[in-house]
Amino acid sequence: MKPQLVLIFIFSLSIFICPNLACHPTDKEALLEFKRKITSDPYPLLSTWNSSTNCCTSWEGVSCDSSGRVVSLVRPGEFFDPDPFLQDTSMSGTISPYIGNLTNLQTLNLRNLQELTGQIPPELGKLTHLVNILLDKNKLNGWIPTTFRHLTKLQKLYLSDNALSGTIPAEMFENLRLLSELTLSGNKLSGPIPNTIGNLVSITTLDLLNNKISGSIPTNIGNLKSLQYLDLRYNSISGSLPSSFGQLSALQTLYISNNQITGSIPSSISGLVSLQYFVASENRLTGSIPVTIGKLGQLTQLDLGNNQLSGEIPTTIGNLSNLTNLDLSKNRLSGKLPVEMSNLKALQYLFLSYNSLKLVTIPNWIAKIPALFGLELAKSGLEGKLPNWLSSSGISSLDLSNNGFSQKLPPWIGNMTNLYSLNLAKNAFHSTIPDELKRLNLMQLNLSGNSFSGSVNTILSMESQDDWIYIDLSYNMFTGPIDPNIGENKKMTPISSLILSHNPLGGSIPSSVGNFTRLQDLWLVNNGLSGNIPTKIKNDFEFTMTILLSKNKLSGGIPSNVINQKNLQEFDVSENNLSGEIPSHKGKFPVSSFLNNPGLCGAPLPSCKH
């Protein structure tokens, strides 16, 4: 054994074994004060902590050094390692400032106790030996203590998933040159990212996800040569991407989506030679996609969707041979798809919808991508008929909506046996539904805005192996009546959205729809329906719900339990033949939701005349 390893082994024994080690009285009192601030310990995690025993040898979660000073306080039930397993436990109370008396403390791990509240004690700044502070997944509030600037040995600071507010203190980063992991996600932090962030020369993980951070990204972010993971999603960051990003050669993950970032993607991005995940969707990026993006040979996910990017897709994108996910949807890209994209043999998801591509036909090279699961080309100028090669593809999710496809839905659609989601909305299909469609195990189907005809039950009676989630057949020429036993189809009962509006269905609303206990959207507008509103329409879960039944011939009254469904956000029964008093209800539905029912009265309509 090497001499260095022998010394480490002996030191480890001296810290964690020493069976007769006496706990330092200052530390013992500090820990007992910590316990006194805990108001509820239901599991119980601190049951071994009492004044009559040795805190170094008998208290769970406490470790001492050879002098009897506490060096580690780890939430009981968890062993500290690089990726700890977090048990589902809880503890209520606040963190006692007496923790600041544990002057030899190196690790403070109180993560995932869920109910810890109050502020982080500034006294932690006195613990200059601290290496790890793990306080994430609690309900801590207030500001991040500026006293953390004194913790020059700190390597890990986890404060995510709390209720912290205020700004990120600039002075905190002045001396934390050893800090390698900083997680502040899931708080209420505001203000800019401080320029002192450039001092964190050892940082590998920087997570600021889901806060209220504003301002621009500091230009000195390029100083963080060790940075591997950067997550700035779901903030209000503005300004442009600094060219210094190109200096982050170790960066593997760059998440900056859902902000207000403007300007173009800098050509210096070619310097991110280790980058695997680049997600910049939901911003205001402009200009063209730089040709230098083709130098990111390690990239597996590129998501630039929902920006204002223009110009043609660069041919160099074909160099990204490891790319599995490509999303350029909802931009202003034009021109043809470069044939070099046929080199993307690892591609699994290709999303190019809502651009100005004017493809006319789906390029044949897409058929040669062996592992393509998801293809979205909505509003891409496609015309004519669906290409035959789709019948032998392994695609599981297909969105070709808002195009100019016409003619009939081909019978070979039934050969796409991997398909679970199909969206052909807003095209010009005009045919009945081929029987072969019944071979598919669909979960989501959108055929709205076409001229499909035939019985609506052809689809509603499909015995899919998977459970239906979403069906939209609106704005077609499907006929009814709806099968009264629709609710007995067990594959239909988990459905969340059933949208059949603007079809000449006739008949009545089957009472068996009451078996759809997860229903969020029931849209049966302008369907020529008659009879009563079923009393059993319900949602047994906490989902928001929308019920639209207007422009029919429904009669009778409004069932009280239907209009009082929990989380019912929208309810419209206007233009029917309903009568009687509108049941009292908590929902705030406008007068327009009840108009043109000659026999209907009561709030928000005029009161009934008894």
Side-chain angles (χ1 to χ4, degrees):
M1 183 178 289
K2 294 181 179 180
Q4 297 95 323
L5 295 177
V6 173
L7 287 174
I8 292 172
F9 180 69
I10 294 172
F11 178 70
S12 300
L13 287 177
S14 69
I15 291 181
F16 297 111
I17 295 180
C18 296
N20 298 316
L21 203 61
C23 180
H24 194 283
T26 300
D27 291 0
K28 187 173 188 177
E29 181 57 28
L31 293 174
L32 289 172
E33 285 293 336
F34 172 83
K35 183 177 181 179
R36 291 185 188 107
K37 288 290 185 179
I38 301 303
T39 56
S40 176
D41 183 15
Y43 279 87
L45 301 177
L46 303 181
S47 60
T48 60
W49 291 27
N50 60 77
S51 57
S52 63
T53 56
N54 187 339
C55 76
C56 290
T57 58
S58 301
W59 293 17
E60 188 178 356
V62 178
S63 301
C64 301
D65 62 14
S66 57
S67 65
R69 300 308 303 258
V70 174
V71 294
S72 177
L73 174 56
V74 177
R75 61 183 297 276
E78 175 186 86
F79 293 98
F80 178 70
D81 61 55
D83 186 19
F85 171 72
L86 297 181
Q87 294 183 354
D88 188 16
T89 55
S90 68
M91 184 187 291
S92 302
T94 59
I95 302 175
S96 170
Y98 276 81
I99 287 289
N101 292 340
L102 302 174
T103 53
N104 284 32
L105 195 65
Q106 298 174 24
T107 292
L108 176 62
N109 181 353
L110 301 176
R111 63 189 317 202
N112 199 40
L113 291 173
Q114 302 182 52
E115 299 298 328
L116 280 184
T117 58
Q119 298 186 354
I120 300 172
E123 288 80 2
L124 290 183
K126 298 190 298 182
L127 306 180
T128 55
H129 294 287
L130 270 174
V131 177
N132 305 297
I133 299 178
L134 312 180
L135 301 176
D136 51 311
K137 296 179 175 63
N138 284 292
K139 294 181 180 177
L140 301 171
N141 53 43
W143 293 46
I144 299 173
T146 58
T147 55
F148 280 1
R149 69 183 184 275
H150 301 304
L151 306 178
T152 56
K153 296 181 181 180
L154 197 63
Q155 295 180 23
K156 294 183 180 181
L157 178 58
Y158 294 179
L159 301 178
S160 57
D161 298 312
N162 279 288
L164 300 173
S165 58
T167 60
I168 301 172
E171 57 268 42
M172 183 174 75
F173 298 145
E174 290 175 354
N175 302 308
L176 303 186
R177 297 185 178 276
L178 298 181
L179 191 66
S180 63
E181 298 181 21
L182 174 63
T183 68
L184 302 177
S185 60
N187 282 288
K188 301 175 183 178
L189 298 170
S190 58
I193 301 172
N195 286 326
T196 51
I197 199 84
N199 295 333
L200 303 182
V201 292
S202 300
I203 198 83
T204 61
T205 297
L206 179 57
D207 185 358
L208 306 180
L209 163 74
N210 196 15
N211 279 284
K212 300 177 181 179
I213 295 169
S214 57
S216 57
I217 300 172
T219 56
N220 63 2
I221 198 167
N223 296 350
L224 311 183
K225 308 296 186 186
S226 301
L227 191 62
Q228 298 176 19
Y229 182 95
L230 176 61
D231 194 346
L232 305 178
R233 290 174 293 171
Y234 294 97
N235 281 288
S236 299
I237 297 170
S238 57
S240 58
L241 296 176
S243 59
S244 58
F245 258 125
Q247 301 170 26
L248 303 177
S249 58
L251 193 64
Q252 299 174 14
T253 300
L254 176 56
Y255 291 152
I256 55 174
S257 62
N258 298 88
N259 280 287
Q260 300 168 20
I261 299 171
T262 57
S264 59
I265 301 171
S267 59
S268 62
I269 197 172
S270 59
L272 302 180
V273 292
S274 302
L275 198 63
Q276 298 176 29
Y277 306 97
F278 182 22
V279 178
S281 55
E282 306 280 345
N283 278 291
R284 301 174 185 174
L285 295 171
T286 56
S288 58
I289 300 171
V291 295
T292 54
I293 205 163
K295 295 183 178 181
L296 306 182
Q298 302 300 315
L299 204 61
T300 61
Q301 181 180 5
L302 176 59
D303 184 355
L304 304 176
N306 209 356
N307 280 285
Q308 300 170 25
L309 298 169
S310 57
E312 297 186 356
I313 299 172
T315 58
T316 54
I317 210 163
N319 298 337
L320 305 179
S321 57
N322 291 311
L323 203 62
T324 60
N325 292 39
L326 176 60
D327 188 348
L328 304 178
S329 60
K330 297 181 181 178
N331 278 286
R332 300 172 183 175
L333 300 171
S334 57
K336 296 181 179 180
L337 299 185
V339 68
E340 288 81 0
M341 290 180 70
S342 62
N343 298 328
L344 304 179
K345 300 299 184 183
L347 206 60
Q348 297 178 16
Y349 298 95
L350 177 60
F351 301 155
L352 301 175
S353 298
Y354 299 101
N355 280 287
S356 302
L357 294 173
K358 298 181 180 178
L359 299 182
V360 183
T361 59
I362 303 175
N364 287 331
W365 57 259
I366 294 181
K368 299 176 183 179
I369 299 177
L372 192 65
F373 298 140
L375 178 62
E376 296 186 4
L377 295 173
K379 202 172 184 180
S380 296
L382 297 168
E383 300 174 356
K385 61 180 183 179
L386 297 177
N388 290 338
W389 60 260
L390 282 173
S391 65
S392 57
S393 73
I395 292 174
S396 57
S397 178
L398 180 62
D399 184 354
L400 299 176
S401 60
N402 286 272
N403 282 294
F405 287 112
S406 56
Q407 303 180 16
K408 296 181 178 180
L409 190 63
W412 55 250
I413 196 79
N415 296 336
M416 299 184 69
T417 51
N418 289 335
L419 207 60
Y420 74 85
S421 177
L422 177 62
N423 188 349
L424 299 177
K426 297 183 180 179
N427 278 283
F429 290 106
H430 51 86
S431 67
T432 56
I433 301 299
D435 289 338
E436 289 81 358
L437 191 71
K438 295 181 179 181
R439 298 178 192 166
L440 303 183
N441 296 314
L442 291 170
M443 299 173 66
Q444 302 178 58
L445 177 63
N446 190 343
L447 300 179
S448 64
N450 284 283
S451 297
F452 286 113
S453 57
S455 173
V456 71
N457 297 308
T458 303
I459 293 172
L460 300 184
S461 63
M462 285 175 60
E463 289 288 342
S464 175
Q465 291 182 13
D466 295 307
D467 293 332
W468 280 107
I469 297 176
Y470 179 97
I471 296 178
D472 186 350
L473 306 179
S474 60
Y475 292 95
N476 278 288
M477 295 187 292
F478 288 113
T479 55
I482 302 171
D483 185 348
N485 296 317
I486 182 177
E488 306 303 324
N489 181 351
K490 292 184 178 180
K491 298 300 179 182
M492 284 287 291
T493 52
I495 196 165
S496 61
S497 296
L498 181 59
I499 303 174
L500 305 178
S501 299
H502 302 282
N503 283 286
L505 300 179
S508 60
I509 304 173
S511 60
S512 63
V513 298
N515 294 337
F516 300 160
T517 56
R518 295 176 181 265
L519 199 60
Q520 298 178 56
D521 301 301
L522 179 61
W523 296 6
L524 300 174
V525 177
N526 193 23
N527 289 132
L529 298 169
S530 57
N532 296 336
I533 300 173
T535 59
K536 294 182 179 180
I537 298 175
K538 61 181 178 179
N539 180 339
D540 289 344
F541 297 84
E542 296 295 320
F543 307 129
T544 57
M545 196 174 184
T546 299
I547 300 175
L548 305 181
L549 306 176
S550 61
K551 299 181 180 179
N552 284 292
K553 302 173 184 177
L554 299 171
S555 56
I558 298 173
S560 176
N561 63 311
V562 173
I563 197 173
N564 282 293
Q565 274 292 309
K566 190 176 182 180
N567 296 324
L568 184 61
Q569 286 195 332
E570 192 173 356
F571 181 74
D572 191 345
V573 292
S574 61
E575 298 185 47
N576 278 286
N577 296 321
L578 298 172
S579 58
E581 186 172 7
I582 299 171
S584 59
H585 52 276
K586 296 179 181 179
K588 296 181 180 180
F589 309 121
V591 174
S592 58
S593 295
F594 305 95
L595 290 177
N596 298 321
N597 285 281
L600 206 58
C601 58
L605 296 178
S607 59
C608 300
K609 298 177 180 179
H610 296 289

